Amino acid sequence: MSEMSRKEETKNNLLDAFWELYKEKPLTKITVKEITDKAGYNRGTFYTYFVDINEALEILKASLMPDKDMIINPFIELKDNDGKIIEPIEGTNDYLKKNGEKIAVLLGPKGDPGFVHELKARLRQIIINYAEDLEIKEVEDFEYVIEYHIAGLISMYQLWLEKKQNIDEESLGLVYEKTAYDGALSVINHMLNDTK
Amino acid sequence: MSEMSRKEETKNNLLDAFWELYKEKPLTKITVKEITDKAGYNRGTFYTYFVDINEALEILKASLMPDKDMIINPFIELKDNDGKIIEPIEGTNDYLKKNGEKIAVLLGPKGDPGFVHELKARLRQIIINYAEDLEIKEVEDFEYVIEYHIAGLISMYQLWLEKKQNIDEESLGLVYEKTAYDGALSVINHMLNDTK
DNA sequence: ACTAATCCAACAACATGTTGTACAATGCTA
DNA sequence: TAGCATTGTACAACATGTTGTTGGATTAGT
């Protein structure tokens, strides 16, 4: 572990305690006293670091936001003009390894819609910037396709976590690829017609 | 307007007032007093109808949940074995017309993740029931494809509302169809390669 | 190196606000 | 006018946000 001032340490302890509670119950039921009790501080101390509980959550969310330079790859496989998949950006996997559990909670049914919203907006922006470099024409339309795909992907991943990984990662990957490249409705119709 | 008992009317007034506040600020900052002041009742009256603010939200959410017999169509166009699109269910449009604004808020960045989760789960279940009647094989895989599509569609719709309908409904419909039938990544790659 | 001045994280205590409940008094409406 | 719906009021329990104090660490002066 790296050096840490007392200030930083206390703040982290408070955030950790808050997170433990956040995993268990809705924001409305969490009190400052609970947080500080759990972290082992006086209630007043909380207010030297945060103006209220909401701010604590905002700080947590911000710390989980990916940098601009990360994360493209697990969400979308961009290909260049020759059809070659653009290489994943370094650090993405570390990011997910470190924050995956928390992110899963925020994406889940007790999670935070603001987080999901911001996350999607960022990913969209990253991809759109890339597209603008290529002087793409139908930018508005493009944005909607991206949105559809990002949301679908996040949600698929979230469902997988919720179902306790009931299928293995490879299978999920295959389903994902088929869906994303052939079209969800095509795949569905195909599956339906296979039955007869 | 239809007949309404005093009791129903009061309850509705309280729910309306709550909704006005909910649109503006997070649940944690809303107090019972604010609600009853806005609705013009005594604070105690609130407690004859709800045990707490959370319950008020739950009731609101429940009132916006689509019946089992509705809503398939705007989210997915199921086709039968001959490729004919199954007819939309009656009442779906009325439902969206009446509740669209509220639903948009609940799906949005200040919305409720539980609502989104429940909504997706219901839609998934409706479709899966349908699929099981047809004795479909790969049920697990099927579920993920559905999830991807529903989430993508909801999110696309939500973005459209957020962008104040910056493209017209027909265009959105076209983008949607192309994406859902040809695959988001295929469409994206196609758009990118069109630039050069 | 020793002391004094300063800083500042953490705390206890306080004032104020909110919650949930109770119950008698008042107002509507059928 | 009888029966509910709503009000007004009060209360205990708890939560919030602020203030002034304490004591250990950090810095500055000699």
Side-chain angles (χ1 to χ4, degrees), chain A residues 1 10 16 23 37 66 78 83 91 93 105 108 138 146 151 156 160 187:
Chain A
M1 281 288 140
T10 305
D16 287 348
K23 282 193 295 190
D37 279 358
L78 288 174
N93 276 341
V105 172
E138 317 122 299
I146 302 289
M156 200 182 226
W160 186 62
V187 173

XYZ file of all heavy atoms in Angstrom, chain A residues 1 10 16 23 37 66 78 83 91 93 105 108 138 146 151 156 160 187:
133
model
N 0.832 -1.216 0.000
C 0.000 0.000 0.000
C 0.859 1.256 0.000
O 1.937 1.297 0.570
C -0.891 0.026 1.255
C -2.105 -0.880 1.123
S -3.344 -0.237 -0.010
C -3.837 -1.736 -0.836
N -8.941 8.613 6.811
C -10.263 8.767 7.427
C -11.347 8.829 6.359
O -12.371 8.151 6.439
C -10.303 10.056 8.264
O -9.258 10.039 9.198
C -11.624 10.165 8.996
N -15.656 3.663 2.729
C -15.793 2.203 2.778
C -17.014 1.796 3.597
O -17.800 0.943 3.179
C -14.531 1.573 3.385
C -13.355 1.622 2.420
O -13.594 1.937 1.231
O -12.220 1.365 2.842
N -24.548 -1.233 -0.102
C -24.792 -2.536 -0.719
C -26.037 -3.190 -0.152
O -26.697 -3.983 -0.811
C -23.592 -3.477 -0.459
C -22.411 -3.200 -1.361
C -21.402 -4.334 -1.290
C -20.781 -4.456 0.082
N -19.631 -5.402 0.100
N -20.463 5.206 12.956
C -20.346 4.101 13.906
C -19.553 2.967 13.283
O -18.620 2.432 13.866
C -21.735 3.592 14.315
C -22.361 4.467 15.397
O -21.694 5.428 15.837
O -23.511 4.200 15.786
N -14.609 5.553 -15.505
C -13.403 5.251 -16.285
C -12.806 6.508 -16.907
O -13.523 7.447 -17.220
C -13.931 4.324 -17.368
C -15.372 4.663 -17.500
C -15.829 5.057 -16.126
N -14.327 -1.910 -31.986
C -14.261 -1.070 -33.178
C -13.318 -1.689 -34.190
O -12.270 -2.225 -33.844
C -13.772 0.332 -32.796
C -14.785 1.166 -32.027
C -14.144 2.468 -31.576
C -15.996 1.452 -32.891
N -11.265 -3.831 -41.579
C -11.976 -4.851 -40.825
C -11.179 -5.409 -39.674
O -11.619 -6.317 -38.996
N -4.890 -1.183 -19.555
C -5.413 -0.717 -18.273
C -6.872 -1.022 -18.074
O -7.375 -0.986 -16.961
N -8.515 -3.826 -18.294
C -8.777 -5.005 -17.488
C -8.493 -4.771 -16.009
O -9.257 -5.207 -15.156
C -7.946 -6.191 -17.993
C -8.645 -6.876 -19.151
O -9.844 -6.707 -19.333
N -7.895 -7.639 -19.924
N -22.828 -3.408 -8.589
C -23.876 -2.937 -7.679
C -24.546 -1.685 -8.242
O -25.767 -1.566 -8.251
C -23.302 -2.640 -6.278
C -24.349 -1.963 -5.406
C -22.826 -3.917 -5.621
N -26.899 -2.410 -10.907
C -27.984 -3.321 -10.551
C -29.253 -2.629 -10.098
O -29.359 -1.404 -10.145
N -23.826 10.490 -40.799
C -25.097 10.513 -40.041
C -24.843 10.452 -38.538
O -25.130 9.460 -37.890
C -25.963 9.301 -40.433
C -26.012 9.000 -41.920
C -25.516 7.574 -42.224
O -24.337 7.280 -41.906
O -26.296 6.787 -42.762
N -25.175 3.547 -31.183
C -24.221 3.368 -30.092
C -24.945 3.169 -28.767
O -24.644 2.265 -27.986
C -23.315 4.614 -29.960
C -22.559 4.881 -31.252
C -22.369 4.467 -28.787
C -21.505 3.891 -31.533
N -26.136 0.142 -24.043
C -27.136 -0.222 -23.037
C -27.369 -1.728 -23.043
O -27.430 -2.363 -21.987
C -28.432 0.516 -23.304
N -26.825 -6.902 -20.527
C -26.533 -8.324 -20.709
C -25.531 -8.769 -19.643
O -25.709 -9.789 -18.970
C -25.925 -8.507 -22.101
C -25.987 -9.908 -22.672
S -25.154 -9.909 -24.305
C -26.337 -10.809 -25.286
N -26.106 -11.288 -16.423
C -25.200 -12.429 -16.223
C -24.728 -12.481 -14.777
O -24.706 -13.539 -14.134
C -24.024 -12.304 -17.189
C -23.090 -13.468 -17.196
C -23.388 -14.753 -17.534
C -21.705 -13.443 -16.859
N -22.271 -15.537 -17.438
C -21.222 -14.759 -17.033
C -20.816 -12.444 -16.465
C -19.890 -15.092 -16.799
C -19.497 -12.776 -16.239
C -19.046 -14.093 -16.401
N -31.711 -12.812 -34.516
C -31.346 -13.969 -33.710
C -32.587 -14.563 -33.043
O -32.796 -15.776 -33.028
C -30.294 -13.579 -32.641
C -30.042 -14.731 -31.679
C -28.999 -13.149 -33.305
